[in-house]
Amino acid sequence: MQIKFSAEPTGDAIAYLCYEGDKGVEFAADLDKPGESAIRRAIAAGSFKGGAGQVVEILAPEWSDASRVLALGVGKKSAASDLGWQKAAAALVKRVLLGGAKSLAIVGAPDRGVAAHLALGARLAGYRFDQYRLNLKAEKKPTLTTVSIVTDSAAGARADYAPLAAKAEGVEFARDLVSEPPNVLHPESYADRIQELTELGLEIEVLDVAAMTKLGMGSLLGVGQGSVRGSRLVVMKWMGAKDKKSAPVAFVGKGVTFDTGGISLKPGPGMQDMKGDMGGSAAVAGAMISIAKRKAKANVVGLVGLVENMPDGNAQRPGDIVRAAAGKTIEIQNTDAEGRLVLCDVLWYAQKKFHPKAMIDLATLTGAIIISLGNEHAGLFSNNDDLAAKLTAAGKVEGEPVWRLPLGAGYDKQIDSDVADMRNIGNAGNAGSITAAQFLQRFVDEGRAWAHLDIAGTAWKPGNDNPLEPTWATGWGVRILDRLIADNYED
Ligand code: BES
Ligand code: MN
Ligand code: ZN
């Protein structure tokens, strides 16, 4: 989707922002020629009240170059928010996307900042993952290619939009990766894709199996040993702070490019969704893109553990004991609880290498978090109230809300093992998201500010009705991470 800012309202379709209560009359009065009332009547005929995201589409008047005009409800003026503007523009674009119009103009942005947020919403709603649909019927193909936001301060809006466009690029990258099929996106090809981001000024380092073996990452490597694809650990560095030596914030992502469950094989139905089990890593890579593109004045490192969890003659077994790089042994009781096994070695590496002042991991870690929170909130676990508060605030502003769950010694006991330092599952059916978080916490250094986001319910959403997101891969996590940095860690 091409986004433009211009003073002229030109396009196949022209949409007018209407606040709740106006009933669209303000703009209608302008469009109806003296003595005419067709537009006013067309709007009044429906139930349009200017509610947020409400859209009425009507035929453009005879004298207009446009083919149609739309009234776009933006809700009450007093309740306006950046996210609200984004969602309104998104609802509009979703409505117009396939309808025949090639260009759309949005009229009525009160200032350049609003214009920029309308643009972000339009862009995110225009996202599609169509590259494998080679024979898409014409009526299922988007027609809309350009959205222009009408504003008197086009140059100012363009400047305000630049960091938002950076964010959108990160979100789009994450969505693409989550949607990519697992025969295309596997640990090796994934590492190659991230390597290309050096173009943005990110410093990229890739650890292969040999390098990780040297470091003693028996836990991560155990998960990948049943796959013909070599596991990878990829580090992305952005040192944008004035003091390049100051401790960075670290993002850590679970990148299981396909999770069959391993020898503890998952049931067949729905298993295809496990191509998205790398959603945490995609969010981390996407956030790094956003941070680099807008040249954030902060030191941030992103680390992703990329593995494929396959059953095979060489796959790890329930009962195996592995040694993590941190020098702790783990009894594998279920090979499907693999995300934590990947993350523990990446968390260790992040701390050893970077001594981060805060460390946030994202993972599609447990089905249990979907039972608890559905697809509305991601689960937040943290050893630090300040970091938890920062993430909660960032998520709210960005429309990626999180809900904090507890940690505690009582839960931690569940992952004690009779034969090793710990086991990789708790008591079946009992607080599964929390015991997974307890496992991770065992690898967090004393005193290190750490948060874990369980995004199993938000990385993809079947039948999603959020206008800013597509139906499946959401790109969840890019926005909250980008905002966390922007609001708290920049010079
Ligand atoms: N990747 C899954 C978690 C998941 C489930 C993500 C559904 C998205 C949707 C994870 O690796 C997993 O299999 N977890 C197990 C843990 C259990 C064996 C302790 C689970 O949640 O069932
Ligand atoms: Mn699993
Ligand atoms: Zn998994």
Side-chain angles (χ1 to χ4, degrees):
M1 186 70 61
Q2 214 203 331
I3 302 289
K4 289 205 266 194
F5 297 92
S6 101
E8 289 307 314
T10 52
D12 299 336
I14 304 190
Y16 295 82
L17 303 190
C18 300
Y19 294 97
E20 191 166 340
D22 285 2
K23 294 192 180 171
V25 169
E26 256 174 42
F27 91 80
D30 286 349
L31 293 184
D32 280 325
K33 284 251 164 91
E36 291 177 353
S37 62
I39 300 217
R40 232 167 312 187
R41 278 174 27 234
I43 289 171
S47 56
F48 184 77
K49 293 208 164 51
Q54 250 197 319
V55 179
V56 182
E57 187 173 356
I58 50 192
L59 199 64
E62 201 83 49
W63 52 262
S64 171
D65 290 336
S67 59
R68 69 202 82 181
V69 294
L70 298 101
L72 172 62
V74 293
K76 293 216 164 70
K77 213 172 220 164
S78 56
S81 68
D82 292 347
L83 191 60
W85 295 113
Q86 293 165 30
K87 283 196 166 164
L92 173 71
V93 165
K94 285 260 160 97
R95 171 72 176 260
V96 175
L97 198 60
L98 307 175
K102 290 202 182 74
S103 56
L104 165 70
I106 306 179
V107 181
D111 59 51
R112 55 185 262 190
V114 170
H117 283 285
L118 289 169
L120 175 60
R123 171 153 170 189
L124 290 176
Y127 171 85
R128 306 264 301 189
F129 186 77
D130 282 345
Q131 56 264 49
Y132 296 102
R133 309 177 77 173
L134 303 184
N135 294 287
L136 201 54
K137 288 206 181 76
E139 66 269 23
K140 291 198 163 172
K141 259 189 211 158
T143 52
L144 190 67
T145 59
T146 311
V147 176
S148 65
I149 315 296
V150 179
T151 169
D152 296 335
S153 39
R158 239 169 257 131
D160 290 349
Y161 178 60
L164 302 183
K167 189 174 354 232
E169 196 158 319
V171 171
E172 288 161 356
F173 183 85
R175 288 175 180 174
D176 282 348
L177 293 186
V178 171
S179 291
E180 280 288 5
N183 57 329
V184 172
L185 194 80
H186 49 71
E188 298 161 5
S189 60
Y190 194 170
D192 292 345
R193 283 224 356 211
I194 295 176
Q195 190 99 58
E196 291 168 20
L197 302 178
T198 47
E199 273 175 29
L200 304 179
L202 285 165
E203 216 179 295
I204 313 282
E205 185 193 347
V206 179
L207 278 62
D208 61 9
V209 172
M212 287 188 279
T213 305
K214 245 190 184 160
L215 289 162
M217 295 187 176
S219 184
L220 183 153
L221 290 169
V223 175
Q225 76 187 29
S227 170
V228 296
R229 303 294 182 180
S231 300
R232 298 285 184 269
L233 193 166
V234 184
V235 183
M236 295 158 262
K237 276 197 273 184
W238 176 258
M239 294 300 177
K242 247 186 240 119
D243 180 1
K244 311 273 175 248
K245 292 231 154 61
S246 71
V249 174
F251 298 149
V252 170
K254 169 180 173 182
V256 176
T257 59
F258 195 73
D259 181 12
T260 63
I263 296 299
S264 312
L265 194 64
K266 286 183 181 295
M271 199 201 276
Q272 64 278 6
D273 282 355
M274 286 303 140
K275 71 175 182 176
D277 207 19
M278 29 56 68
S281 64
V284 168
M288 295 308 294
I289 290 177
S290 166
I291 282 162
K293 275 241 146 184
R294 63 180 183 77
K295 303 206 185 313
K297 295 185 172 55
N299 294 341
V300 187
V301 292
L303 299 96
V304 292
L306 311 181
V307 307
E308 186 181 44
N309 188 20
M310 297 290 274
D312 165 87
N314 193 46
Q316 90 178 340
R317 294 150 290 255
D320 283 4
I321 295 178
V322 296
R323 186 186 189 281
K328 297 175 185 186
T329 56
I330 304 161
E331 179 194 1
I332 310 298
Q333 287 197 339
N334 188 322
T335 63
D336 196 12
E338 85 297 341
R340 65 200 76 181
L341 298 171
V342 172
L343 287 173
C344 70
D345 278 339
V346 187
L347 291 170
W348 170 82
Y349 190 69
Q351 294 171 98
K352 181 182 101 99
K353 187 117 200 239
F354 298 109
H355 308 286
K357 58 184 165 195
M359 177 166 73
I360 300 101
D361 75 74
L362 287 86
T364 49
L365 204 60
T366 66
I369 204 70
I370 310 175
I371 309 289
S372 309
L373 301 174
N375 306 110
E376 304 302 320
H377 289 82
L380 162 66
F381 301 83
S382 184
N383 61 1
N384 186 292
D385 291 345
D386 178 55
L387 181 58
K390 285 174 170 151
L391 280 163
T392 303
K396 206 168 199 174
V397 181
E398 294 290 326
E400 292 185 338
V402 299
W403 196 263
R404 191 172 181 185
L405 286 103
L407 292 160
Y411 298 110
D412 192 69
K413 271 204 303 241
Q414 281 198 36
I415 55 169
D416 286 341
S417 161
D418 292 337
V419 292
D421 294 331
M422 67 193 87
R423 57 178 184 158
N424 76 330
I425 54 170
N427 304 330
N430 185 337
S433 305
I434 305 177
T435 51
Q438 294 294 158
F439 183 98
L440 299 179
Q441 193 176 16
R442 290 199 184 196
F443 294 87
V444 175
D445 297 341
E446 191 64 39
R448 173 101 46 218
W450 158 76
H452 156 57
L453 296 172
D454 192 334
I455 64 169
T458 55
W460 64 87
K461 299 180 186 173
N464 188 8
D465 60 2
N466 180 342
L468 288 167
E469 296 170 348
T471 45
W472 203 71
T474 56
W476 200 103
V478 174
R479 298 187 60 161
I480 190 174
L481 293 180
D482 183 53
R483 167 71 60 174
L484 176 76
I485 297 300
D487 283 357
N488 302 288
Y489 296 104
E490 297 205 33
D491 292 340

